[in-house]
Amino acid sequence: MATVAQPNPTTQRPKFSFWRGVIYAVCIILALLFLFPIVWTAISSVKPPSEASAAPPTFLPSRIDFGNYIKLNDYGRGVWNYVGNSVGTAIMTVIGSTILSTLAGYGFSRFRFPAKNLMFVLILMTLMIPFQSILIPLFLILTGLKLQNTLFGLALVYITFQLPFGVFIMRNSFDTVPREIEEAALLDGCTPFTMLYRVMLNIVRPGIITVGIYAFLNSWNEFLAALIFMTKETSFTLPILLTSVRSGYYGAIDWGALQAGLMVTIVPCVVIFLLLQRYYVVGLTGGATKG
């Protein structure tokens, strides 16, 4: 019995390996381009002041000096006061954004009510409103409610602008859940809110975490609203501290302290993203493919 000649699999491997190598090379180059500013900032933050301000700059420091981080306490009320304000604002923004977005997304996905699609479109249309155009009305509202110079008032502003995106993500996350799961839960005697708490939340966890990550990053790095709504030094957040460091004393900029302040701002964002990136990718992809 004649045997059929099998194709030699090794003949296609060089081509496949070549293109894979090209893809890896491109990814490595892009990664280095994106990581270089962070690495440069980290190295500059531990340089002695004279080397941090040197021109032309040197890449590696002659010695490791953490004095730049200690020097951040010389600005205003100290770096930890501003870090605490930023953490408090971010926590309130994340909690408020995730709860309201989850409830609204669940309602838009699972309930029927008049003008549901129109209301959803109107919510998304608010994304097109420039944030700067309504700063004065927001300032007047917060002043009337006596929430100016409070972290809670600032968090309310951040939650307001986070909700359209959060509702969009959460509605699409709930839309990906099969109706059979909902029907089975209802047959077991669950009410709509019991089903949300016991069944749905675990399934749409990537979407909730995605909303939380976006809420944290936006509130942690936001500068303009914090600068306008916070007029007392005790209420300033971390980005405003960086402005003080950038201005310096008598016009002299301490570049080492500025780089140290940037690292204090960057590290929490990087750590949170790395810890939750697998949920973030699933949640964002699910929200982008449904609609």
Side-chain angles (χ1 to χ4, degrees), residues 18 23 147 189 196 201 220 255 267:
F18 171 77
I23 294 174
L147 292 177
L196 171 64
L201 290 183
W220 183 263
W255 293 105
V267 169

Side-chain angles (χ1 to χ4, degrees), residues 191-205:
T191 64
F193 288 100
T194 304
M195 178 177 58
L196 171 64
Y197 175 73
R198 294 186 176 181
V199 180
M200 291 292 194
L201 290 183
N202 189 51
I203 300 176
V204 299
R205 185 186 304 171

Side-chain angles (χ1 to χ4, degrees), residues 82-160:
Y82 303 115
V83 169
N85 291 339
S86 293
V87 170
T89 304
I91 291 175
M92 288 186 287
T93 303
V94 170
I95 294 175
S97 298
T98 53
I99 292 177
L100 294 177
S101 297
T102 301
L103 293 176
Y106 182 62
F108 277 112
S109 176
R110 293 314 198 203
F111 293 95
R112 294 182 180 180
F113 50 89
K116 180 178 76 171
N117 292 330
L118 176 61
M119 292 179 61
F120 185 69
V121 171
L122 291 176
I123 291 175
L124 294 183
M125 288 179 63
T126 59
L127 291 171
M128 296 184 291
I129 300 177
F131 175 67
Q132 296 80 0
S133 65
I134 59 175
L135 284 177
I136 294 178
L138 285 175
F139 182 85
L140 296 176
I141 292 174
L142 290 182
T143 302
L145 296 174
K146 297 182 180 180
L147 292 177
Q148 184 195 5
N149 284 318
T150 64
L151 300 181
F152 180 71
L154 185 61
L156 286 180
V157 175
Y158 293 157
I159 292 172
T160 301

Side-chain angles (χ1 to χ4, degrees), residues 194-249:
T194 304
M195 178 177 58
L196 171 64
Y197 175 73
R198 294 186 176 181
V199 180
M200 291 292 194
L201 290 183
N202 189 51
I203 300 176
V204 299
R205 185 186 304 171
I208 297 175
I209 293 178
T210 301
V211 174
I213 291 176
Y214 266 84
F216 175 82
L217 295 179
N218 289 334
S219 62
W220 183 263
N221 296 308
E222 204 282 328
F223 169 74
L224 184 59
L227 180 65
I228 293 177
F229 299 141
M230 300 298 189
T231 57
K232 293 183 179 178
E233 191 175 22
T234 54
S235 303
F236 287 170
T237 55
L238 192 56
I240 303 180
L241 168 67
L242 297 182
T243 304
S244 302
V245 179
R246 175 66 177 81
S247 301
Y249 294 115

